[in-house]
Structures are given as structure tokens and as C-alpha cells.
Amino acid sequence: MAGYNEIRGLKVKYLSADPSNAEDGQVWYNSASGNLRVESILGTAAWASGGALPTATKAIRGCGIQTSALAFGGSTPPGPPYAVVETFEYNGSSWTGGGNLATNNQNAGAVGTQTAGLCFGGSNSDGSGVNPSFNTTQHYDGSSWTAVPGTLVNGVASMADGGVQTAAFSAGGIQNGPSPPPATYSVTQEYDGSSWTSGGALPAANRSLAGAGTVSAGLGFGGYVSPLSPKYTNVTNEYDGSSWTGGGNMSTGRDQLGGAGIQTAALAMFGGPNGPGVSTATEGYNGSSWSTRPNMATARKNAGGTGTNLLALAFGGYIPSPPVTAATEEFTQLVETKNITTS
């Protein structure tokens, strides 16, 4: 039998002032203004130019928030070196140099903050086309990287990731040779701050996908799932700490895209729908479905991306010509408290 709340709905609070900690969708009556109000209506969204990276870089990765971000590794064609060790810190307007990675690395996993960052997996390249994958893990303390004992169960690059320095996940990715041949994985690996263990597998082997969220509430979306068709997928999967289940599909199938946010409030940005194709497409996820957000100014893929669904950052990446960019863009989505009625 349905309860009172299901039949009648919840009581609207009668308040003399707007609450300081209103939840998304909360409705109340403000007796001072005479207005019925609702919290968290999405307002204007836009991308704007930020400070350029010191060096044009693709396959770069990063973590943190829009005003305090970390970028590291990547590739700076034409090389050599083909993968780099540089780290940069962003203060909301410009990038400055930080401590170098322990090894040259591209397409690594990246989570955490500017002062507590985590780099795991990834690969190196000698320009021969063979990019051996790493199983190593490094911690950043705001000034330098330290290699830590914990190693991935499977060394991979181009994976989905999420979490913080002491609790992270890696899902899917590619393991490069030279022996055995490159292999795409469905494996999920979980980090507790000191060691990696195996988690629940993705429904399909996937690489160059994006991730968001935490170990117990993760998100993986997009990617390259050959030999399945279409290869450039729009599929979303949600992780509960032990298994993945299907979520709402993106409108645009693409790989080498970026992700930001949490499982119930995420952002997908840039990527490539096929081969050398690049995209400006941006989409927002609410925990069940994706909707369109404003396009970026620079079409790119295999770039760095971090932040939240409301305040995100994209930097570097592959573009058709020249092949690499240093451009940084900042995404801002306003959230408004609006009147439902006006006295």
C-alpha cells in the first residue's frame, strides 16, 4: 500500500530565509519574500579560454579542480622524447612547473588533488610504435612525485579512472607489448593507498574510455570496444564497488574523451568519433541520462580533463593540424535558486 508521502507528497517547509544547505531540487516557501523557491536549477553554461600549457602535449593526464589542477606526462611530437616527465600546476589562470614524474609516461591514470595526486599505469614510447605499459604507481605531494610499492595487477594505459590518492579505481585500458601483442582489458583494479586488488570486470573489454566518481560509486563511459560494433561506443557503466551495471547512453559515441565529476553528476568532454576525428562535444550526466552542454572552442581528443560537472578543465590534446595543442579551456555551469511563484 502506498504511504502518505507517495499519495500527498512531502510538506513544503515554511522558512523566514533561504536555507544555507539546500539540497538539489529542494522546495521551500520564503515568508520574507513571499516566494515559493526551488534549489539547483541549472543556469547558463559555457567554455572559456584559460592559460595555455607551457608545452603543447597530447596523451597528458591530470587531476584536481578548475582553480587548482595538476597536469603531467604525455607526448610532445615530433620527439624525442616521445613520452615526457613534466608536471604542471594550474592556479585558475596559468600553469607553472612542478616536480617531474619518476619516468616518462603517457596515457596514465590520474586522480586526486594538486597536493595529493596519484599517477598509475600509462606507457612509454621510443618512437617505434611499441609503447610498453607500466604497472607502477606514484604519489604527488604538491612538489614532488614518489614511486610507491603498490603495483597494478595488470599494467595498462588509456583506462577509466576515479577516486582519490588513497582510494582509486582503474577500469579497462590497453596493455602494450612488445610481447604479448597489445590487448584490451575489461578488468577493474582498486587501490587502497598502498596496494592494488582486482575488482568487478566491465561488461566488455574497453580502452580509451573516460571515468569519474569513486571506488564505490564509479562511472565509465565511451571508449573503443573493437571487435564489437560500433567500435566507438556511447555506452555508460556504473560501478558500486564490486560490479558494473549499465547506465544511460551518451548521444555521441567516442573514445579518447575526458571525464569529470561524480557518478550522479558527471561531465564528458572532447574525444574522437572515429580514426583521426576530433570533437568539441560536451555532455552532462545526472545519474541516469546524458544531456547536451555547450561545445568546446577547440576540437581535440586524448587531452587532459578534470574538475566537476559544474567547473571543469580541459588542456592539451591531439588536434588535426598541427597535431598537438597547448590550449586550455574552462567549463562553467551556473546553478541557480529560482522562484516558482512571485508575490
Side-chain angles (χ1 to χ4, degrees):
M1 179 181 292
Y4 178 86
N5 288 348
E6 285 77 14
I7 298 171
R8 298 293 185 184
L10 296 173
K11 183 178 180 181
V12 175
K13 291 183 177 179
Y14 188 94
L15 304 172
S16 60
D18 294 339
S20 60
N21 58 346
E23 298 180 358
D24 289 356
Q26 181 177 338
V27 177
W28 67 93
Y29 179 76
N30 185 316
S31 60
S33 66
N35 293 320
L36 188 64
R37 311 204 76 196
V38 61
E39 173 71 8
S40 295
I41 300 296
L42 292 180
T44 303
W47 286 95
S49 295
L53 286 165
T55 305
T57 311
K58 68 175 184 177
I60 191 171
R61 295 297 182 261
C63 57
I65 60 176
Q66 189 187 83
T67 56
S68 181
L70 196 66
F72 49 87
S75 174
T76 55
Y82 299 95
V84 296
V85 296
E86 280 76 15
T87 295
F88 304 112
E89 300 176 1
Y90 194 65
N91 63 6
S93 60
S94 61
W95 296 92
T96 55
N100 287 348
L101 290 164
T103 54
N104 299 49
N105 200 336
Q106 60 183 1
N107 293 315
V111 301
T113 67
Q114 190 182 83
T115 57
L118 183 68
C119 171
F120 51 92
S123 66
N124 199 353
S125 174
D126 59 6
S128 66
V130 176
N131 306 322
S133 298
F134 297 129
N135 65 357
T136 53
T137 304
Q138 300 178 57
H139 286 186
Y140 193 68
D141 63 6
S143 60
S144 61
W145 290 96
T146 302
V148 294
T151 57
L152 290 159
V153 180
N154 297 97
V156 290
S158 302
M159 70 290 275
D161 51 29
V164 296
Q165 190 185 70
T166 55
F169 75 85
S170 168
I174 184 170
Q175 185 176 62
N176 293 313
S179 179
T184 301
Y185 281 102
S186 63
V187 298
T188 298
Q189 305 176 68
E190 301 178 4
Y191 186 63
D192 63 5
S194 60
S195 61
W196 291 89
T197 56
S198 297
L202 287 164
N206 194 344
R207 70 175 190 259
S208 301
L209 67 167
T214 66
V215 175
S216 58
L219 203 62
F221 43 96
Y224 182 84
V225 293
S226 180
L228 300 181
S229 181
K231 294 184 292 186
Y232 302 91
T233 183
N234 64 352
V235 169
T236 298
N237 290 293
E238 300 176 355
Y239 193 58
D240 63 5
S242 60
S243 60
W244 293 90
T245 55
N249 289 346
M250 293 189 298
S251 61
T252 305
R254 44 190 155 141
D255 73 342
Q256 298 186 39
L257 70 165
I262 60 176
Q263 189 185 78
T264 56
L267 198 71
M269 46 192 163
F270 56 84
N274 54 65
V278 291
S279 175
T280 60
T282 306
E283 299 182 50
Y285 191 64
N286 64 5
S288 60
S289 61
W290 293 92
S291 55
T292 301
R293 300 290 186 269
N295 288 345
M296 304 177 69
T298 301
R300 66 183 89 195
K301 66 181 179 181
N302 205 7
T306 191
T308 71
N309 69 314
L310 302 178
L311 296 168
L313 196 67
F315 43 92
Y318 167 86
I319 59 176
S321 181
V324 190
T325 182
T328 296
E329 294 187 55
E330 301 174 356
F331 176 82
T332 301
Q333 170 84 67
L334 299 179
V335 177
E336 303 172 356
T337 300
K338 289 192 173 182
N339 296 333
I340 300 174
T341 62
T342 302
S343 58

